[in-house]
Amino acid sequence: MLGTVERVNETARGALIVFEGGDGAGKSTQVQAVARALEFQGRTVKRTREPGGTPLAESVRGLVLDPAHAPVDADTEALLFASARADHVNRFIRPAIERGEVVISDRFVDSSVAYQGAARGLGLEHVQELNEWALRGLTPDLTVLLDVDTSVAESRRTDRGLAADRMEGEDRDFHTVVNQAFRDLAAAAPERYLVLAADQPIEVVTDKILDRLAEVLS
Ligand code: TYD
């Protein structure tokens, strides 16, 4: 057992693993479970989220999700998410990967493509191009898409008694477009995505993610 842990440490290379999905897909539960399992295997794991992950990006998060600012101009919204991402990538994610750590992010650039590009109508490619500045070539090693039915997501959120932020307050059609955009992104690059139905038992989803990560991180 100990030997296994030591071996992982010797060969560890840094990686970026991203969790995406519509609001209420259960991402944070899976991020926590997967991070714990990887730590148990002896890896150094950094959990983070977008928008956020650095003090500046967390401040931008407060601004961009605040219902008091609705309605926000779509271009401004896309730029705010991208600016938070630049800080997050340059100051947090890239240095951690260079140290050989596994970064697990709750949301990343695909959220901008799905929410701002598809649902806000800015265009998928336009938003991808805008984000090139923030990413400078960084691509996740694996993106786990927790695919959730829009109405299930809504009721999970209501059950947890969570107040809606500015995005969650959007109507069902908006969230249906977001979910479809995520599926399309995954279908276009299956080698970089793992798509899982989010309505399976939590442990089943975690095991499937860990199986795929064993390949990705080897
Ligand atoms: P969050 O509370 O993290 O939502 P969830 O718990 O569902 O992940 O809020 C982030 C919100 O911001 C979410 O509604 C998606 C949205 N968002 C964008 O619109 N564009 C982006 O680039 C990112 C990262 C998030």
Side-chain angles (χ1 to χ4, degrees), residues 22-24 27 50-51 61 65 77 81 85 106-109 111-112 115-116 165 167-168:
D23 297 284
K27 291 187 303 301
E50 286 208 343
R61 176 189 179 94
L65 296 181
E77 184 178 273
F81 281 115
R85 182 162 300 123
D106 184 338
R107 298 192 180 279
F108 198 54
V109 63
S111 280
S112 281
Y115 284 79
Q116 283 66 55
D165 64 36
M167 296 294 167
E168 288 167 345

Side-chain angles (χ1 to χ4, degrees), residues 13-47:
R13 62 169 188 88
L16 172 60
I17 311 300
V18 171
F19 283 71
E20 295 279 12
D23 297 284
K27 291 187 303 301
S28 40
T29 307
Q30 291 300 335
V31 166
Q32 198 175 350
V34 169
R36 282 207 185 128
L38 293 179
E39 277 164 358
F40 190 72
Q41 292 169 12
R43 294 186 184 271
T44 303
V45 178
K46 290 281 159 64
R47 272 188 255 172

Side-chain angles (χ1 to χ4, degrees), residues 51-194:
T54 64
L56 178 61
E58 291 289 334
S59 295
V60 174
R61 176 189 179 94
L63 279 176
V64 75
L65 296 181
D66 188 345
H69 296 308
V72 172
D73 166 67
D75 288 334
T76 309
E77 184 178 273
L79 285 161
L80 283 170
F81 281 115
S83 65
R85 182 162 300 123
D87 201 54
H88 190 207
V89 166
N90 290 330
R91 300 199 172 186
F92 184 93
I93 297 178
R94 214 186 290 278
I97 293 173
E98 280 165 8
R99 287 193 300 268
E101 297 168 3
V102 178
V103 177
I104 303 185
S105 186
D106 184 338
R107 298 192 180 279
F108 198 54
V109 63
D110 285 357
S111 280
S112 281
V113 177
Y115 284 79
Q116 283 66 55
R120 291 271 189 249
L122 290 181
L124 278 65
E125 279 182 20
H126 186 51
V127 172
Q128 255 151 355
E129 278 166 23
L130 168 69
N131 275 278
E132 280 171 15
W133 236 48
L135 300 177
R136 294 190 193 272
L138 179 68
T139 312
D141 293 85
L142 182 72
T143 297
V144 179
L145 171 59
L146 297 177
D147 193 12
V148 69
D149 184 70
T150 311
S151 51
V152 172
E154 242 173 44
S155 64
R156 277 194 192 181
R157 218 167 47 233
T158 319
D159 290 351
R160 284 185 294 161
L162 297 179
D165 64 36
R166 205 168 54 74
M167 296 294 167
E168 288 167 345
E170 293 290 344
D171 65 17
R172 188 176 289 201
D173 288 350
F174 181 93
H175 291 287
T176 303
V177 173
V178 166
N179 290 340
Q180 189 55 48
F182 279 130
R183 287 180 203 125
D184 293 345
L185 286 168
E191 68 288 355
R192 287 192 286 109
Y193 286 83
L194 174 64

